[in-house]
Amino acid sequence: MRTTIWTINILLFLLTLYGCIEKEGYYGEVGNEVISNLTNKEWNRKYHSVWADGTEIDMDVTYIFKNNGSGSYKEIATYKSGKVEEITSYFHWSFTTPNFKYIYLDFNCFWEIEKLTSNQLSVYETWNDPLTNPGQTYRDFQEYQYISKK
């Protein structure tokens, strides 16, 4: 009984001591830097695409990642004919590993962060988790530029 009380007191002391230690934030220094660089910004990518049927499109794609795990995706497609289509979707996102390198977007895709600075985001997009399915046929490299804060 005496050993149990002593053990409980030591654990309470350690918990109290741990609570008094100044922390850099919940995610640590690396995680906070990644989150700061990624979130509350508009990330834009413009590119030209040709579909299998020969249809040509100029794409203007913008992602916004909020620091609460929500986000939005806006796509403006301008066809060679001049027709313009605009789609906005909303999603949730989360990191899948503790090193903040892999992101799951809940419209069933994963991003592997290749490079992330305050102005540039480069990712490999896959449909399946790149850690459990490393040899996927769809692995698309995408580069985004910071255009404004949101």
Side-chain angles (χ1 to χ4, degrees):
M1 175 87 168
R2 187 175 202 154
T3 305
T4 305
I5 292 173
W6 185 81
T7 304
I8 290 171
N9 285 334
I10 292 295
L11 287 173
L12 287 173
F13 173 76
L14 291 173
L15 285 172
T16 303
L17 183 61
Y18 177 76
C20 294
I21 297 171
E22 186 175 334
K23 299 176 193 78
E24 241 341 275
Y26 181 76
Y27 297 107
E29 188 176 327
V30 172
N32 286 333
E33 181 180 356
V34 170
I35 291 168
S36 175
N37 282 338
L38 180 68
T39 61
N40 301 317
K41 297 178 178 183
E42 290 188 12
W43 291 104
N44 183 260
R45 173 182 181 224
K46 293 177 173 51
Y47 63 97
H48 183 77
S49 183
V50 180
W51 291 354
D53 68 359
T55 303
E56 292 189 42
I57 311 172
D58 287 320
M59 299 297 297
D60 186 342
V61 176
T62 302
Y63 278 90
I64 299 172
F65 293 86
K66 298 289 186 178
N67 59 6
N68 66 0
S70 67
S72 65
Y73 167 82
K74 183 177 179 181
E75 178 179 275
I76 302 171
T78 305
Y79 294 82
K80 191 175 183 180
S81 66
K83 177 182 171 185
V84 176
E85 291 180 343
E86 185 175 317
I87 298 169
T88 300
S89 300
Y90 299 92
F91 60 88
H92 290 93
W93 66 275
S94 63
F95 292 104
T96 64
T97 59
N99 67 357
F100 303 95
K101 183 175 175 153
Y102 298 92
I103 300 174
Y104 172 69
L105 292 85
D106 73 354
F107 51 84
N108 291 327
C109 78
F110 292 82
W111 279 11
E112 178 183 348
I113 298 173
E114 181 70 18
K115 181 177 183 180
L116 176 60
T117 66
S118 60
N119 295 316
Q120 183 181 0
L121 171 62
S122 302
V123 299
Y124 283 99
E125 181 179 84
T126 59
W127 298 129
N128 298 305
D129 186 341
L131 296 173
T132 58
N133 295 315
Q136 299 177 54
T137 55
Y138 175 74
R139 191 168 192 259
D140 187 40
F141 182 74
Q142 301 174 5
E143 288 185 296
Y144 295 85
Q145 301 299 318
Y146 163 74
I147 55 173
S148 69
K149 277 206 176 260
K150 273 295 171 182

